[in-house]
Amino acid sequence: MCRLLHLFSLALVLTPAPLLALEFNMPSGVTDTSQSVFNLHMTIFYICLAIAVVVFGVMFWSIFHHRRSRGAKAAQFHGSVVVEIIWTIIPFLILVAIAIPATTTLSDMYDASESDVDIQVTGHQWKWHYKYIGEDVDFFSILNTSREEIENRKKKNPNYLLEVDNALVVPTNKKIRFLFTSNDVIHAWWVPDLAIKKDAIPGFINESWTRIKEPGLYRGQCAELCGKHHAFMPIEVKAVPEASYLAWLEDQKAAKLAEAASAEQDWSMDQLMTAGATVYEKNCAVCHQADGSGVAGAFPALNGSAIVQGDKAGHLDIVVNGKLAKGMPAFGEQLSAVDIAAVITYERNSWDNQTGDHVSPAEVQTLMDKQ
Amino acid sequence: MSAHAETAHHGPASGISRWILTTNHKDIGTMYLVFSLLMLFVGGSMAFVIRAELFQPGLQMVMPEFFNQMTTMHGLIMVFGAVMPAFVGLANWQIPLMIGAPDMALPRLNNLSFWILPFAFAMLLSTLLMPGGAPDFGWTFYAPLSTTYAPPSVTFFIFAIHMMGISSILGAINVVVTIFNMRAPGMKLMDMPLFVWTWLITAFLLIAVMPVLAAVVTMMLMDVHFGTSFFNAAGGGDPVLFQHVFWFFAHPEVYIMVLPAFGVISQIVPTFARKPLFGYHSMVYATAAIAVMSFIVWAHHMFTVGMPLAGELFFMYTTMLIAVPTGVKVFNWISTMFRGSMTFETPMLFAIAFIVLFTIGGLSGLMLAIAPADFQYHDTYFVVAHFHYVLVPGSVFGIIAGVYYWLPKWCGKMYDEKLGQWHFWLSFIGVNLTFFPMHFVGLAGMPRRIPDYALQFADFNMITSIGAFLFGTTQLLFVYILIKTVRSGKPAEQLPWDGAQGLEWSVPTPAPYHTFSTPPVVGDK
Ligand SMILES: [Cu+2]
């Protein structure tokens, strides 16, 4: 026992100080809904605490007083209808008292009507796709923590595993409706500060809504086991005042146009290789590994692959159309022509693959337009 | 535990064939118990891997894909390999002894139900060596992760589940037939000890839901190999259907894993309080009520799948309601202790810990029943804390309490009380150190089934891992105590516990190989 405490305090002492700021409880969040969920949680918690105190109180009292070592003689009663009716009815009444506020909160959470902004959230293995309905803005949101940190080769930053490349940006004080679905397995979109956790299910659409009161950055994670990298698909929601939100939307649209234009430009081999490395790291390395060696039995090696080293058409086909039944996503739906051209060029000229050729964005665009 | 062999006149065959061919309920009970102890260590070593990886943030011991195989196999092995067979083992030993029957009603079937298990688990464990690895989709194996996206070993997993299911159904049928047909003359249903009652009800639950499990894995098999689309939305199926069918099995299953423990506790508490069980009738009715209600609460595991509001409310209300009969049981145990004359030998300590910690698990269950709050708790460590509280200090402590309680009668030797007390206190501290902090990390936002986590969860995870190592190693002490008892324990008395009542204590110590060849006559209770 002593040794255990010793170990215990040792462990605590060795932990860096900032980590000692322990968080014990559910966050009360930044919406009216999350606040009422929090209140429900605390109410039911205090009720449970009270029940525990009474029940365990009686138990420990009799353990203390009615022990043979204190000379207690056993009574022989073995039932009492009155008592039993009482302790059936009292818990029942307590339950009714909790059920009422729970029902109100739940009905409110289910009313997603009259929204101001609609966002479609699609789960992918292992990233989120956000689409602003009616705005022609959509993008992927991918984990931004480096492999070095995950593999303990670099000091972990405070937002370790909770940071993404592109946050979901939403306006404050507007009713935002989310439509959840999935591209592969079931995921669950969970942001504790908004008290939203909803499953994203392939082939089905789920609804939820929020109205965020304060600007800020709210982090969350995928909550439903979705395969190997389930731990590595976080969520960042950035709530900003409406004006900034609208400005951000415009920026996104402009960026999209610029990207489309760049597909028509000529890209040099070097440019493609640099861009390709980033695309590969973000989109392909989870399965095919950073060094292209793959995972035996699950994901083929790209290093030395006949398809990668073979003719461009076959290579383009697998990347653009994927092979869904085997677990290779169709990146034609996910990446721009530039990104696809870049990543293919990168694959063909990395590791032991040295084809020396490159694929231009225009070639990819032509292929994608045909489909 | 085989020491009773020498003492019986009309004894068992010798050598290994005794165990392979036996139809004796005591031998089969022993085999079930030893098997489940073995599985406890297999599943426990997987928990070790999990806790070692989670000791600190970052990936250090294992890769995420192997981590997922460990969580999956840990769950499957503990549920189907450790807890369920242990209760069947207790049933085999105790039900005939407690109702005054010479054996189980269907002894050959009994042998078969046991011997299916080693093969089923050998098949399940062999998947660890297959290309693509063992099942990695969680013990709840949600489609399509377990169908379209599963490793090839899923087929072996399906067959292993089928075998376990057959074994359980056969075992359950045997229990029902034995209890209905082989009670001692004069023993009415309402005279039966509570352990027998809870097992009777459990057996009905098993017969009702094991076929549902078989159905759901068969549908998976069809989806994986024969081109059907039960759970594949692209082919017109529905992944949520999987969850409905699965939980229609798995919710009663959680009661299957705890009702017999209720029975054990209801035997032990009166013995050590030296006072009759309070509210015998209401105990029976409460058990039956829990069993019936367990069929209409399943979707509380699925509050976030997007059911219609009416569905959410229905499952929220029924789930809250199930707390009422559960509360009745706890109140009855405590009233049994009240004004008793208590002593605290090892079985009683485990029983009291059961009552306290199971109640904590029950109360967190009540919190989980509140659908809007469950949106925050669901799929976090809060849930992990909840079900480990009802399963480890719940079911497992119930089993351990039962083993300490009946061991003197089984093998005719007394365990070392001092070591038993050590075993209890180390387990008690270990279990709480492991599972209590999980409530906090869960509330603070840590999802379950992740091999790596954000930095704010680090301290609690470290505490949990230390607790898990303590709890795990403590169980080696349990094995030592058992071996020591069987080998060199002091001879036990005819009635090892002065407060104990029931037919099982009327047979000689150790219980001879054949008991109640002439049925005892039971007068008024
Ligand atoms: Cu996910």
Side-chain angles (χ1 to χ4, degrees):
Chain A
M1 184 67 201
C2 269
R3 178 141 0 121
L4 193 84
L5 280 175
H6 194 71
L7 239 174
F8 202 51
S9 34
L10 197 76
L12 285 178
V13 170
L14 289 179
T15 325
L19 299 187
L20 280 175
L22 302 180
E23 297 190 27
F24 290 95
N25 204 356
M26 182 191 283
S28 61
V30 288
T31 67
D32 289 335
T33 309
S34 69
Q35 186 65 52
S36 53
V37 166
F38 177 75
N39 292 341
L40 267 178
H41 159 70
M42 290 317 289
T43 315
I44 176 83
F45 171 70
Y46 285 127
I47 290 175
C48 287
L49 200 63
I51 296 175
V53 168
V54 173
V55 172
F56 298 151
V58 175
M59 192 179 100
F60 285 113
W61 190 84
S62 52
I63 285 180
F64 188 73
H65 290 279
H66 304 149
R67 47 169 69 213
R68 191 165 64 176
S69 56
R70 287 176 57 108
K73 291 269 176 308
Q76 288 302 315
F77 63 88
H78 56 80
S80 156
V81 179
V82 181
V83 174
E84 298 198 42
I85 290 178
I86 291 175
W87 72 36
T88 310
I89 289 179
I90 291 181
F92 183 77
L93 295 180
I94 296 176
L95 292 176
V96 173
I98 315 170
I100 294 168
T103 306
T104 324
T105 307
L106 194 62
S107 325
D108 183 50
M109 290 172 108
Y110 260 70
D111 178 14
S113 61
E114 291 170 24
S115 59
D116 305 308
V117 179
D118 295 328
I119 301 175
Q120 183 184 327
V121 180
T122 310
H124 289 252
Q125 276 181 329
W126 293 278
K127 58 199 164 197
W128 294 101
H129 180 257
Y130 299 115
K131 181 173 175 190
Y132 291 71
I133 293 170
E135 294 291 354
D136 195 28
V137 168
D138 74 292
F139 54 86
F140 278 94
S141 178
I142 302 174
L143 175 73
N144 213 16
T145 301
S146 65
R147 290 298 311 166
E148 286 82 22
E149 284 170 78
I150 294 175
E151 285 161 4
N152 306 314
R153 284 182 278 123
K154 201 172 131 193
K155 192 172 175 314
K156 299 178 181 11
N157 80 79
N159 294 323
Y160 177 70
L161 294 189
L162 296 178
E163 45 189 347
V164 298
D165 55 353
N166 304 309
L168 175 70
V169 178
V170 294
T172 48
N173 296 313
K174 290 278 171 198
K175 185 160 185 175
I176 301 155
R177 185 167 69 126
F178 295 107
L179 298 168
F180 298 103
T181 185
S182 165
N183 188 48
D184 35 55
V185 299
I186 302 178
H187 303 264
W189 197 83
W190 179 32
V191 179
D193 280 319
L194 311 184
I196 295 182
K197 182 185 289 133
K198 207 67 175 208
D199 290 1
I201 303 169
F204 290 79
I205 291 185
N206 273 330
E207 243 186 8
S208 196
W209 67 272
T210 189
R211 189 191 293 274
I212 302 175
K213 293 187 291 190
E214 295 152 35
L217 201 56
Y218 307 112
R219 297 174 195 275
Q221 282 180 272
C222 175
E224 180 64 58
L225 178 64
C226 55
K228 190 159 81 89
H229 284 249
H230 164 53
F232 307 103
M233 49 182 294
I235 297 156
E236 259 185 52
V237 177
K238 190 170 166 196
V240 296
E242 199 189 3
S244 331
Y245 167 70
L246 292 173
W248 174 85
L249 268 186
E250 290 315 312
D251 286 352
Q252 292 298 304
K253 290 177 190 166
K256 202 164 177 185
L257 288 177
E259 199 181 87
S262 77
E264 275 144 37
Q265 289 160 11
D266 273 341
W267 283 68
S268 76
M269 180 83 175
D270 279 350
Q271 283 172 317
L272 285 171
M273 284 296 285
T274 321
T278 321
V279 177
Y280 185 85
E281 166 69 33
K282 264 200 205 168
N283 295 283
C284 321
V286 272
C287 296
H288 296 292
Q289 306 302 310
D291 60 357
S293 60
V295 174
F299 309 114
L302 299 182
N303 191 10
S305 146
I307 295 185
V308 174
Q309 296 180 345
D311 68 311
K312 288 192 216 168
H315 192 178
L316 259 165
D317 177 62
I318 179 107
V319 178
V320 172
N321 300 318
K323 213 174 233 178
L324 286 180
K326 295 280 180 60
M328 167 70 190
F331 284 96
E333 299 159 1
Q334 301 188 14
L335 299 176
S336 67
V338 174
D339 286 347
I340 292 181
V343 76
I344 292 183
T345 306
Y346 176 79
E347 286 174 89
R348 296 175 77 80
N349 297 288
S350 297
W351 322 301
D352 300 338
N353 302 343
Q354 296 299 340
T355 60
D357 57 5
H358 73 276
V359 175
S360 71
E363 279 173 78
V364 178
Q365 195 62 54
T366 330
L367 177 83
M368 281 164 56
D369 289 345
K370 259 193 255 160
Q371 289 171 348
Chain B
M1 262 182 254
S2 59
H4 60 80
E6 309 100 60
T7 58
H9 289 294
H10 189 71
S14 59
I16 184 78
S17 62
R18 162 177 175 187
W19 300 103
I20 295 175
L21 301 176
T22 185
T23 54
N24 179 289
H25 73 103
K26 300 186 182 82
D27 281 355
I28 294 175
T30 304
M31 289 197 294
Y32 265 111
L33 288 168
V34 171
F35 177 79
S36 81
L37 190 61
L38 188 70
M39 285 297 133
L40 185 75
F41 282 96
V42 175
S45 53
M46 292 170 177
F48 253 71
V49 175
I50 295 170
R51 286 322 315 178
E53 176 56 54
L54 293 174
F55 190 70
Q56 282 179 343
L59 291 180
Q60 40 271 322
M61 319 290 292
V62 295
M63 287 287 109
E65 49 271 36
F66 189 66
F67 183 89
N68 287 347
Q69 296 172 28
M70 286 293 105
T71 51
T72 306
M73 296 290 269
H74 165 74
L76 292 169
I77 287 177
M78 288 307 198
V79 168
F80 294 104
V83 174
M84 290 172 70
F87 280 127
V88 183
L90 289 179
N92 258 295
W93 259 102
Q94 287 310 123
I95 288 177
L97 286 180
M98 292 170 103
I99 62 174
D103 204 312
M104 297 293 280
L106 310 164
R108 288 207 171 76
L109 197 71
N110 204 6
N111 173 293
L112 178 65
S113 7
F114 171 76
W115 278 110
I116 291 175
L117 286 183
F119 295 94
F121 282 89
M123 173 138 62
L124 185 64
L125 285 168
S126 72
T127 58
L128 280 166
L129 308 172
M130 292 180 186
D136 56 2
F137 28 65
W139 85 274
T140 52
F141 52 101
Y142 280 8
L145 189 62
S146 62
T147 53
T148 320
Y149 294 83
S153 61
V154 64
T155 311
F156 293 90
F157 155 84
I158 291 172
F159 280 110
I161 293 281
H162 269 308
M163 289 164 76
M164 295 169 203
I166 291 171
S167 159
S168 290
I169 292 174
L170 297 182
I173 289 174
N174 212 343
V175 167
V176 171
V177 177
T178 306
I179 295 176
F180 278 149
N181 295 307
M182 300 186 55
R183 293 193 308 280
M187 182 184 272
K188 293 190 286 300
L189 283 177
M190 275 304 186
D191 297 334
M192 295 193 310
L194 258 165
F195 178 73
V196 179
W197 254 117
T198 52
W199 239 112
L200 178 64
I201 292 167
T202 303
F204 275 110
L205 284 182
L206 278 166
I207 295 170
V209 299
M210 277 302 180
V212 180
L213 175 66
V216 79
V217 294
T218 308
M219 283 148 100
M220 281 171 63
L221 187 75
M222 306 281 281
D223 272 12
V224 172
H225 290 292
F226 304 113
T228 57
S229 295
F230 289 109
F231 308 132
N232 178 3
D238 180 353
V240 179
L241 172 69
F242 173 90
Q243 298 182 26
H244 282 293
V245 184
F246 175 79
W247 285 113
F248 189 82
F249 146 75
H251 196 79
E253 167 70 17
V254 306
Y255 288 100
I256 287 168
M257 288 191 286
V258 85
L259 292 184
F262 288 172
V264 174
I265 302 306
S266 305
Q267 302 299 136
I268 292 176
V269 171
T271 297
F272 294 94
R274 294 170 182 78
K275 187 166 157 277
L277 184 70
F278 188 90
Y280 171 88
H281 287 83
S282 69
M283 278 306 218
V284 173
Y285 298 141
T287 312
I290 291 172
V292 170
M293 291 181 68
S294 74
F295 286 102
I296 52 165
V297 297
W298 78 88
H300 67 212
H301 298 273
M302 306 163 50
F303 280 143
T304 65
V305 297
M307 274 185 291
L309 181 59
E312 301 265 326
L313 290 175
F314 174 80
F315 287 107
M316 174 166 89
Y317 297 151
T318 50
T319 306
M320 292 168 79
L321 220 52
I322 214 165
V324 174
T326 315
V328 166
K329 305 205 76 125
V330 175
F331 300 147
N332 280 342
W333 289 321
I334 290 175
S335 309
T336 308
M337 290 190 223
F338 189 75
R339 295 191 43 213
S341 170
M342 274 186 274
T343 52
F344 304 93
E345 288 86 345
T346 311
M348 183 63 162
L349 287 177
F350 275 103
I352 292 174
F354 172 97
I355 298 173
V356 175
L357 302 181
F358 175 82
T359 305
I360 292 178
L363 291 172
S364 62
L366 191 56
M367 296 174 73
L368 286 159
I370 314 294
D374 180 70
F375 293 163
Q376 295 281 45
Y377 309 136
H378 180 70
D379 265 337
T380 69
Y381 262 87
F382 191 80
V383 177
V384 180
H386 158 73
F387 70 73
H388 279 95
Y389 259 87
V390 291
L391 276 177
V392 184
S395 308
V396 174
F397 274 21
I399 294 163
I400 295 176
V403 169
Y404 277 115
Y405 181 56
W406 284 307
L407 191 61
K409 185 56 77 182
W410 294 343
C411 69
K413 311 266 182 67
M414 203 59 192
Y415 64 85
D416 184 328
E417 183 60 44
K418 199 154 176 210
L419 286 180
Q421 302 263 337
W422 269 99
H423 175 216
F424 169 74
W425 285 108
L426 289 175
S427 298
F428 182 81
I429 294 167
V431 110
N432 285 296
L433 213 52
T434 310
F435 300 117
F436 209 72
M438 287 185 178
H439 291 110
F440 300 125
V441 276
L443 290 176
M446 179 164 161
R448 65 193 282 204
R449 295 170 166 164
I450 56 175
D452 193 6
Y453 48 84
L455 300 182
Q456 69 263 36
F457 309 131
D459 300 313
F460 284 129
N461 270 290
M462 192 177 279
I463 300 173
T464 291
S465 289
I466 293 172
F469 300 148
L470 173 67
F471 182 74
T473 32
T474 300
Q475 302 322 307
L476 291 172
L477 177 61
F478 183 42
V479 176
Y480 173 74
I481 294 173
L482 291 177
I483 294 176
K484 186 167 172 241
T485 311
V486 172
R487 284 261 196 85
S488 59
K490 284 205 281 313
E493 286 162 37
Q494 163 61 24
L495 188 61
W497 317 113
D498 59 330
Q501 275 172 6
L503 288 177
E504 78 259 43
W505 306 108
S506 68
V507 303
T509 296
Y513 199 55
H514 294 288
T515 36
F516 296 125
S517 305
T518 33
V521 177
V522 181
D524 51 61
K525 196 164 72 85

